[in-house]
Tab-separated table of all heavy atoms in Angstrom:
chain	number	residue	atom	x	y	z
A	724	ILE	N	2.098	7.452	203.421
A	724	ILE	CA	0.983	7.196	202.520
A	724	ILE	C	0.763	5.689	202.488
A	724	ILE	O	1.644	4.927	202.096
A	724	ILE	CB	1.246	7.721	201.090
A	724	ILE	CG1	1.470	9.233	201.098
A	724	ILE	CG2	0.070	7.363	200.184
A	724	ILE	CD1	1.689	9.827	199.721
A	726	VAL	N	-0.843	2.805	200.695
A	726	VAL	CA	-1.355	2.529	199.352
A	726	VAL	C	-1.816	1.080	199.262
A	726	VAL	O	-1.282	0.206	199.927
A	726	VAL	CB	-0.295	2.822	198.263
A	726	VAL	CG1	0.000	4.308	198.180
A	726	VAL	CG2	0.986	2.055	198.514
A	736	VAL	N	-2.314	9.607	195.756
A	736	VAL	CA	-0.901	9.878	195.489
A	736	VAL	C	-0.783	11.077	194.539
A	736	VAL	O	0.044	11.969	194.745
A	736	VAL	CB	-0.193	8.632	194.915
A	736	VAL	CG1	1.217	8.964	194.471
A	736	VAL	CG2	-0.170	7.510	195.958
A	740	CYS	N	0.867	14.918	195.264
A	740	CYS	CA	1.816	15.610	194.382
A	740	CYS	C	1.405	17.061	194.159
A	740	CYS	O	2.260	17.936	194.006
A	740	CYS	CB	1.920	14.903	193.031
A	740	CYS	SG	2.894	13.394	193.042
A	750	PHE	N	8.387	11.281	202.076
A	750	PHE	CA	7.283	10.329	202.076
A	750	PHE	C	7.737	8.927	202.443
A	750	PHE	O	8.832	8.495	202.075
A	750	PHE	CB	6.610	10.313	200.704
A	750	PHE	CG	5.791	11.535	200.435
A	750	PHE	CD1	6.338	12.628	199.782
A	750	PHE	CD2	4.467	11.606	200.846
A	750	PHE	CE1	5.588	13.761	199.538
A	750	PHE	CE2	3.708	12.731	200.615
A	750	PHE	CZ	4.269	13.824	199.953
A	751	TYR	N	6.862	8.247	203.149
A	751	TYR	CA	7.015	6.844	203.495
A	751	TYR	C	5.818	6.142	202.870
A	751	TYR	O	4.673	6.485	203.170
A	751	TYR	CB	7.004	6.649	205.011
A	751	TYR	CG	8.202	7.238	205.698
A	751	TYR	CD1	8.351	8.615	205.833
A	751	TYR	CD2	9.204	6.418	206.200
A	751	TYR	CE1	9.461	9.161	206.448
A	751	TYR	CE2	10.317	6.948	206.825
A	751	TYR	CZ	10.440	8.328	206.939
A	751	TYR	OH	11.549	8.865	207.545
A	752	LEU	N	6.072	5.198	202.006
A	752	LEU	CA	4.997	4.440	201.359
A	752	LEU	C	4.871	3.098	202.043
A	752	LEU	O	5.878	2.443	202.350
A	752	LEU	CB	5.302	4.260	199.872
A	752	LEU	CG	5.371	5.550	199.066
A	752	LEU	CD1	5.872	5.255	197.659
A	752	LEU	CD2	4.020	6.230	199.031
A	770	VAL	N	4.711	-5.225	195.910
A	770	VAL	CA	5.916	-4.592	195.374
A	770	VAL	C	5.555	-3.677	194.201
A	770	VAL	O	6.050	-2.550	194.098
A	770	VAL	CB	6.958	-5.660	194.966
A	770	VAL	CG1	8.109	-5.044	194.203
A	770	VAL	CG2	7.461	-6.391	196.213
A	771	ALA	N	4.671	-4.133	193.331
A	771	ALA	CA	4.260	-3.334	192.170
A	771	ALA	C	3.489	-2.086	192.603
A	771	ALA	O	3.691	-1.001	192.036
A	771	ALA	CB	3.418	-4.187	191.220
A	772	ILE	N	2.608	-2.218	193.582
A	772	ILE	CA	1.837	-1.082	194.093
A	772	ILE	C	2.770	-0.024	194.665
A	772	ILE	O	2.636	1.174	194.389
A	772	ILE	CB	0.817	-1.554	195.151
A	772	ILE	CG1	-0.305	-2.337	194.484
A	772	ILE	CG2	0.275	-0.388	195.965
A	772	ILE	CD1	-1.163	-3.134	195.449
A	773	LEU	N	3.738	-0.464	195.460
A	773	LEU	CA	4.704	0.473	196.050
A	773	LEU	C	5.559	1.142	194.981
A	773	LEU	O	5.803	2.351	195.039
A	773	LEU	CB	5.586	-0.256	197.066
A	773	LEU	CG	4.885	-0.706	198.343
A	773	LEU	CD1	5.756	-1.681	199.110
A	773	LEU	CD2	4.513	0.498	199.210
A	774	ALA	N	5.990	0.370	193.994
A	774	ALA	CA	6.830	0.919	192.924
A	774	ALA	C	6.082	1.982	192.125
A	774	ALA	O	6.647	3.033	191.784
A	774	ALA	CB	7.312	-0.195	192.005
A	775	LYS	N	4.820	1.730	191.840
A	775	LYS	CA	4.012	2.691	191.075
A	775	LYS	C	3.864	4.003	191.852
A	775	LYS	O	4.033	5.089	191.287
A	775	LYS	CB	2.639	2.099	190.767
A	775	LYS	CG	1.746	3.019	189.966
A	775	LYS	CD	0.413	2.369	189.652
A	775	LYS	CE	-0.484	3.334	188.885
A	775	LYS	NZ	-1.792	2.747	188.598
A	776	ALA	N	3.550	3.913	193.134
A	776	ALA	CA	3.393	5.117	193.961
A	776	ALA	C	4.727	5.852	194.095
A	776	ALA	O	4.779	7.086	194.011
A	776	ALA	CB	2.831	4.748	195.331
A	777	LYS	N	5.799	5.104	194.282
A	777	LYS	CA	7.129	5.721	194.410
A	777	LYS	C	7.515	6.436	193.127
A	777	LYS	O	7.998	7.577	193.163
A	777	LYS	CB	8.167	4.653	194.762
A	777	LYS	CG	9.545	5.219	194.978
A	777	LYS	CD	10.540	4.154	195.373
A	777	LYS	CE	11.885	4.820	195.606
A	777	LYS	NZ	12.967	3.866	195.714
A	778	ASP	N	7.308	5.794	191.995
A	778	ASP	CA	7.624	6.421	190.709
A	778	ASP	C	6.849	7.718	190.524
A	778	ASP	O	7.395	8.720	190.057
A	778	ASP	CB	7.316	5.469	189.549
A	778	ASP	CG	8.292	4.307	189.466
A	778	ASP	OD1	9.357	4.351	190.134
A	778	ASP	OD2	7.982	3.338	188.736
A	779	LYS	N	5.569	7.706	190.889
A	779	LYS	CA	4.735	8.903	190.737
A	779	LYS	C	5.248	10.039	191.606
A	779	LYS	O	5.410	11.169	191.145
A	779	LYS	CB	3.269	8.575	191.063
A	779	LYS	CG	2.346	9.760	190.976
A	779	LYS	CD	2.314	10.335	189.566
A	779	LYS	CE	1.393	11.530	189.476
A	779	LYS	NZ	1.481	12.200	188.190
A	780	LEU	N	5.507	9.764	192.873
A	780	LEU	CA	5.992	10.810	193.773
A	780	LEU	C	7.346	11.347	193.335
A	780	LEU	O	7.583	12.556	193.335
A	780	LEU	CB	6.058	10.287	195.209
A	780	LEU	CG	4.716	10.119	195.913
A	780	LEU	CD1	4.885	9.324	197.201
A	780	LEU	CD2	4.082	11.472	196.211
A	781	GLU	N	8.245	10.459	192.952
A	781	GLU	CA	9.573	10.897	192.518
A	781	GLU	C	9.504	11.684	191.215
A	781	GLU	O	10.263	12.637	191.028
A	781	GLU	CB	10.522	9.707	192.411
A	781	GLU	CG	10.910	9.176	193.789
A	781	GLU	CD	11.817	7.964	193.753
A	781	GLU	OE1	11.911	7.292	192.696
A	781	GLU	OE2	12.445	7.679	194.801
A	782	SER	N	8.589	11.325	190.329
A	782	SER	CA	8.437	12.079	189.080
A	782	SER	C	7.900	13.487	189.355
A	782	SER	O	8.096	14.394	188.541
A	782	SER	CB	7.522	11.343	188.096
A	782	SER	OG	6.168	11.421	188.498
A	783	CYS	N	7.259	13.671	190.499
A	783	CYS	CA	6.776	14.993	190.906
A	783	CYS	C	7.841	15.757	191.695
A	783	CYS	O	7.601	16.883	192.129
A	783	CYS	CB	5.517	14.854	191.761
A	783	CYS	SG	4.083	14.222	190.863
A	784	GLY	N	8.991	15.138	191.916
A	784	GLY	CA	10.095	15.803	192.596
A	784	GLY	C	10.180	15.582	194.087
A	784	GLY	O	10.935	16.257	194.779
A	785	PHE	N	9.434	14.619	194.613
A	785	PHE	CA	9.450	14.348	196.048
A	785	PHE	C	10.469	13.270	196.402
A	785	PHE	O	10.799	12.417	195.575
A	785	PHE	CB	8.067	13.892	196.531
A	785	PHE	CG	7.056	14.988	196.538
A	785	PHE	CD1	6.140	15.104	195.513
A	785	PHE	CD2	7.034	15.919	197.565
A	785	PHE	CE1	5.201	16.116	195.505
A	785	PHE	CE2	6.099	16.941	197.574
A	785	PHE	CZ	5.181	17.041	196.536
A	786	GLN	N	10.912	13.309	197.640
A	786	GLN	CA	11.806	12.288	198.164
A	786	GLN	C	10.966	11.195	198.825
A	786	GLN	O	10.130	11.482	199.676
A	786	GLN	CB	12.769	12.883	199.186
A	786	GLN	CG	13.661	11.841	199.835
A	786	GLN	CD	14.465	12.386	201.002
A	786	GLN	OE1	14.306	13.521	201.424
A	786	GLN	NE2	15.321	11.548	201.537
A	787	VAL	N	11.195	9.958	198.416
A	787	VAL	CA	10.551	8.819	199.060
A	787	VAL	C	11.613	8.148	199.919
A	787	VAL	O	12.558	7.560	199.412
A	787	VAL	CB	9.962	7.827	198.026
A	787	VAL	CG1	9.384	6.613	198.741
A	787	VAL	CG2	8.899	8.514	197.180
A	788	LYS	N	11.458	8.288	201.224
A	788	LYS	CA	12.444	7.755	202.170
A	788	LYS	C	12.400	6.232	202.223
A	788	LYS	O	13.431	5.577	202.217
A	788	LYS	CB	12.166	8.352	203.551
A	788	LYS	CG	13.153	8.008	204.601
A	788	LYS	CD	14.357	8.886	204.528
A	788	LYS	CE	15.239	8.632	205.740
A	788	LYS	NZ	16.418	9.447	205.719
A	789	LYS	N	11.182	5.665	202.288
A	789	LYS	CA	11.019	4.210	202.352
A	789	LYS	C	9.755	3.801	201.617
A	789	LYS	O	8.782	4.555	201.579
A	789	LYS	CB	10.906	3.719	203.804
A	789	LYS	CG	12.173	3.835	204.609
A	789	LYS	CD	11.962	3.246	206.002
A	789	LYS	CE	13.232	3.334	206.829
A	789	LYS	NZ	13.039	2.757	208.167
A	790	ALA	N	9.773	2.609	201.074
A	790	ALA	CA	8.593	1.990	200.465
A	790	ALA	C	8.598	0.536	200.921
A	790	ALA	O	9.431	-0.251	200.466
A	790	ALA	CB	8.629	2.106	198.952
A	791	GLU	N	7.688	0.194	201.834
A	791	GLU	CA	7.728	-1.126	202.469
A	791	GLU	C	6.338	-1.748	202.566
A	791	GLU	O	5.337	-1.050	202.531
A	791	GLU	CB	8.299	-1.003	203.883
A	791	GLU	CG	9.721	-0.451	203.904
A	791	GLU	CD	10.264	-0.341	205.312
A	791	GLU	OE1	9.698	0.434	206.110
A	791	GLU	OE2	11.247	-1.046	205.600
Side-chain angles (χ1 to χ4, degrees):
I724 299 182
V726 293
V736 173
C740 284
F750 287 93
Y751 293 72
L752 297 172
V770 171
I772 289 165
L773 291 167
K775 181 178 178 182
K777 183 178 182 192
D778 289 347
K779 178 62 180 172
L780 286 168
E781 288 178 342
S782 74
C783 293
F785 289 100
Q786 176 189 6
V787 176
K788 185 82 172 180
K789 291 183 179 181
E791 300 180 297

